[in-house]
Structures are given as structure tokens and as C-alpha cells.
Amino acid sequence: MKKPRRRKKTTHYSIPLILLAGVILLLILGGDLSVPPMDDTYIHLVYGRSLFTAAPLSFNHTEPSSGFTSPFWLLPSAVASLFGTAWAPAVLMVFSLLAAGAALFMLPPFAGILLLMTGPFFFHASSGMETALSCLAVIAVWRCARDGTGIKVSSYILMGAFLVRPELAILTIPLVLSLKERTPSNILRLAAPSLIAGLLWMFWNIHSMGLPLPSTFYAKQPVSWLTSANAGLPGLLKGLLITSPLLFIAAAISITGLLRNKGKKRSEVSLALIPLLLFALSLYLQPNSFFQMRYYVPALTALVLATGHWLGGLQRRKLNVFILAVSMLPGLIIFAGRRADASYDVYSIDVRPAQFIASVASPEQTVTAADIGAVKWITDMEILDLDGLVTVQRLPGSGREGWLWIKGRSDYLLAFPEQYSDLISEAGSSLEFLTGFRSDRNVICGSDSVALWIIN
């Protein structure tokens, strides 16, 4: 009797190697010897460095604050900070790349190829931010819902997802639906670690700034739905279409099929809810693309997961994967170009001004700034944040402090002239222009120029 042929095991090694090669190429194309990560990466590095001081979670020396978006990402940020001012950003970019590689390893090869071809995912694979780790968290939650993983394991994965990015707590809903026995005690066991972590974080926020949510929720106001072509709803739709219109069609077919399956597997409804809930929440919290589509990458990852689920049941899977991958190629090229431009933009608008300030100012002085991460990381000066991220007195609202309050506490002002034109006009002769910096690749920072003034 003829023995059946063994199926060859498919390895994933090629996927992260392709990703690594692509990122290295982008770093080379980024120009300049210094290739920075994204701007918010520096904020996490500052908080990570503070964990080794007598005042942990303080952005300004001994003043506690809650200006970080991901408690979990503080751990690799702390490790990276040990490598010093110059090397730490690159090390944190490597951690981001490792998280992206781990996400790809957890997927079947055909789904991994689609995720790799997703432009925003590729953009953030080496961003130095927590975005790739949040994609890994979404994949882990998907597998828990799909496989009926035990409550204990699922509860800690859910807690990890919440600590990577707080809005991922919404994934509690599909995980609850996937439970074999949805009793109150089981639901409580599933949610307990996340609730405990959430309460601890809330107590810290109240202690540090008097508000229950992190200051990031109050400091950054979403751009209007109806605004310019590069932001709001027009920019979002353009970014999603660039990513791949066929991916959305394939995911819609998969989600429809999961919802129509009449109750044989409760987990299938929960799987359908994961991309739907993530997109709905992203639209509610951030109805704009911010060019790099940072807030939509976890939802796009969920679309890839749904598409992979549909492809897994097709006979002509390879052909369909090929068609989908080719349709995503233009988006990959565009977002790869944006990644190189983003590094140049951050270097021009954030890093170079910080380096200049470090050369002319004393560490004992104070600078008021809009983009605060690189300035603090490079200069270690006291920072007043124009947007209120680490300066509660500048949070948007009726009690927001104005120019006179800033003038009495700061030696320098580093701001975008157009964005903060009202504040600059109010300052008048109190400001003495020192120098300006420009970027011709406005991808990240929101403005093409920043100016530095001495405050008289």
C-alpha cells in the first residue's frame, strides 16, 4: 500500500526577513545619518528613563504626570533608554520591529503576507511606538476567541491588550461572547485582571493630574470629520482605499459569513465583532487618518484576520492571496515612502530644534513647546507643554492658562507659527525670534515649520 505523502511544513522565516530587509532599506532611504522614529516615541523614552530614577513616571524631574499612551510600552522604552540618548531611539525601533515580526509569526503564511503588505502596518513596523505591539495583541485576542482558550489565559491576554492601548479593552465583548459558559463569575474572572490594571491606572491619573483618564485623552482633540483632503473623513477614506479596497471586500464577505452561521459556533460571531468593534471605536476616538493611520492599524490587522479566515476555506487560496497582495502593492509603496518622509520630517521639525536648544540653553532653564518628546529627551530641560499633555494647566477648556502664565515660567518658546498664531500675537514684544526650522515633507508633525523664540 502506498504511503500518503507528508505535507511539508510551511515556515514563516521568509516573512520577517522580508520585513527586516524592507525596513533597513527604508532607513537607508530616510536620508541623514540620524533616522529618527516617530515623534511620540521620544515621550515613551522619557517616561521609560524615569523608571530608573527616584521619581518614576515623571516627565519633568519630580512632577508626576500621565502623558503616556501605553503603560506596557514603557517596559521596552525603559530598556532602550539604557543605551543612551543617541542609540535609545534606534533600539526602541528594533523592539517595534520585533513586535511586528512576532505578529507575523502568529499568522498562517498567507495571512502573514497580507499583513506585511498592509501599508500602515509596514509604516509602523519600525516606528518605535506601540502600534505593532497592539497588532500582536489583537491577533492574540482573535486566537483566544477562535480556539476557545481558557479563561485564565484569555484574561491575561486581554489585560495585556488593554495595557498596550487602552481602547483595546473593547475586545472584552467578543471574548465574553466566545465563552462556553457565560456565567457572571466567568465574565468576572475574564475581566478581573483588566479591571484591576484599569483601576490602578485611574488612581495614578487622579494622583498625577486630577482626572481619571490619561492626559492624552484630553490634550489631543480629533480633527473634524469634514476638513482638508489630507485629514478628516476625506483623508481617512483615501488612506483606507490606498491600503486595499479588495481587502475590505474580502473581509466583508468573511464577516457576513461568520454572522450568518446559525449558531453552531458562538466563537464565529465573536470573530466577526472584532474588526467591526475596532473600526467603530477608531472612528469614534480619531475620525482622521493623521497621514500614518496610526489609530487604524489594529483594526486593519483585524480585517486581515477576517480575510485569512475566509481564505482558509477556499480551494484556490493561493490565487486569491496573490490577487489581494497585488492589489495592496500600491498602498505598500506609498506608505513605505511616507515612512522615509516621516523620519525626515521628525528629524527636521523635532530633533534638529532640540539639538539646537541643547547647544544654546542651560538644562536648568525651561522651554515651552508643542512637540515635547525630542526636546525633553535630548535637552533634559524643564518642559511646559502647549497642548497640556504633561502640563495640566494647558489642557483645553475654560480654565486653560494663557500667555502671561507661560511667560512667567519659561525661557524659550518652540512652536508652530501658524498653529499657535493667536498665542504668538498675544505675546507680542515679549518674544525675540532666534531661529526657525523647515521640513518639505510634512507627514508627521502637522506643520512644515517651527520657530524658536527667547522669552524676554
Side-chain angles (χ1 to χ4, degrees):
M1 184 176 177
K2 190 176 180 181
K3 292 183 179 180
R5 292 177 64 185
R6 283 188 175 184
R7 295 182 64 184
K8 292 183 179 180
K9 290 184 178 180
T10 306
T11 63
H12 297 258
Y13 297 132
S14 60
I15 296 175
L17 286 177
I18 293 171
L19 178 63
L20 179 60
V23 170
I24 291 173
L25 177 62
L26 288 178
L27 296 182
I28 294 171
L29 294 175
D32 293 288
L33 294 177
S34 173
V35 183
M38 301 301 97
D39 50 348
D40 287 354
T41 300
Y42 292 100
I43 295 177
H44 279 100
L45 281 173
V46 172
Y47 279 108
R49 182 171 59 186
S50 75
L51 297 181
F52 299 109
T53 69
L57 301 184
S58 296
F59 193 86
N60 280 322
H61 306 304
T62 59
E63 183 182 347
S65 64
S66 63
F68 47 90
T69 57
S70 174
F72 199 104
W73 196 241
L74 293 181
L75 299 179
S77 299
V79 174
S81 71
L82 297 175
F83 288 82
T85 304
W87 282 97
V91 173
L92 197 53
M93 290 166 72
V94 170
F95 280 129
S96 187
L97 181 61
L98 290 174
L104 293 168
F105 264 112
M106 288 186 67
L107 295 175
F110 60 90
I113 290 171
L114 295 181
L115 183 58
L116 178 62
M117 297 291 289
T118 306
F121 175 82
F122 189 84
F123 183 105
H124 284 284
S126 66
S127 69
M129 294 192 292
E130 78 285 350
T131 313
L133 189 62
S134 68
C135 296
L136 179 60
V138 169
I139 294 170
V141 170
W142 173 280
R143 292 184 63 166
C144 286
R146 183 195 65 189
D147 301 337
T149 307
I151 293 176
K152 185 175 181 180
V153 173
S154 297
S155 67
Y156 284 108
I157 288 177
L158 180 64
M159 180 187 69
F162 166 70
L163 291 176
V164 169
R165 190 173 283 182
E167 60 263 32
L168 293 184
I170 200 169
L171 296 178
T172 305
I173 297 172
L175 280 180
V176 167
L177 288 177
S178 69
L179 292 176
K180 294 179 180 178
E181 297 181 12
R182 283 181 290 175
T183 63
S185 61
N186 283 344
I187 294 173
L188 181 60
R189 285 172 58 201
L190 176 68
S194 298
L195 288 172
I196 294 170
L199 285 172
L200 291 174
W201 196 3
M202 184 183 71
F203 290 148
W204 171 258
N205 296 331
I206 293 173
H207 164 71
S208 63
M209 58 176 289
L211 295 169
L213 298 176
S215 59
T216 53
F217 281 79
Y218 307 99
K220 301 291 184 181
Q221 299 296 329
V223 176
S224 169
W225 282 79
L226 300 175
T227 184
S228 67
N230 289 324
L233 190 58
L236 172 61
L237 292 176
K238 183 175 71 174
L240 293 176
L241 287 174
I242 288 172
T243 296
S244 173
L246 294 184
L247 178 67
F248 282 84
I249 294 172
I253 294 172
S254 177
I255 292 169
T256 302
L258 288 168
L259 292 174
R260 282 181 176 175
N261 200 330
K262 300 271 182 174
K264 290 191 177 178
K265 283 189 178 180
R266 189 182 298 165
S267 64
E268 294 193 350
V269 177
S270 64
L271 293 181
L273 282 178
I274 291 176
L276 294 176
L277 289 173
L278 287 177
F279 257 106
L281 188 63
S282 299
L283 286 168
Y284 175 74
L285 292 177
Q286 203 64 53
N288 61 80
S289 66
F290 272 142
F291 307 105
Q292 73 271 37
M293 296 189 68
R294 169 187 178 185
Y295 301 94
Y296 291 88
V297 183
L300 288 169
T301 301
L303 285 189
V304 170
L305 291 168
T307 301
H309 182 83
W310 172 65
L311 289 171
L314 296 182
Q315 291 183 347
R316 296 182 178 179
R317 186 172 62 200
K318 290 182 179 180
L319 176 61
N320 283 276
V321 170
F322 176 77
I323 294 171
L324 282 169
V326 170
S327 74
M328 299 169 79
L329 187 59
L332 179 67
I333 294 172
I334 290 172
F335 277 94
R338 285 184 182 179
R339 180 64 185 90
D341 289 343
S343 283
Y344 178 86
D345 193 27
V346 173
Y347 180 74
S348 301
I349 298 295
D350 286 345
V351 175
R352 284 184 61 224
Q355 292 171 340
F356 181 83
I357 294 172
S359 69
V360 299
S362 165
E364 289 75 30
Q365 291 182 301
T366 300
V367 55
T368 297
D371 280 0
I372 60 174
V375 177
K376 179 63 179 180
W377 176 253
I378 293 171
T379 69
D380 201 28
M381 295 171 65
E382 189 83 7
I383 301 291
L384 292 184
D385 180 17
L386 284 172
D387 294 331
L389 196 66
V390 297
T391 307
V392 66
Q393 294 86 349
R394 284 290 301 174
L395 283 174
S398 58
R400 190 179 204 180
E401 296 288 357
W403 171 249
L404 291 178
W405 185 87
I406 293 172
K407 179 183 176 182
R409 291 163 175 79
S410 190
D411 302 290
Y412 294 89
L413 173 66
L414 180 68
F416 305 120
E418 184 177 345
Q419 185 177 347
Y420 296 94
S421 57
D422 292 343
L423 185 70
I424 294 167
S425 298
E426 185 183 351
S429 59
S430 300
L431 296 178
E432 178 185 339
F433 178 77
L434 191 57
T435 187
F437 303 87
R438 292 192 63 84
S439 169
D440 58 2
R441 307 179 196 180
N442 184 16
V443 177
I444 292 293
C445 299
S447 184
D448 62 358
S449 64
V450 67
L452 178 67
W453 293 268
I454 297 176
I455 299 177
N456 295 323

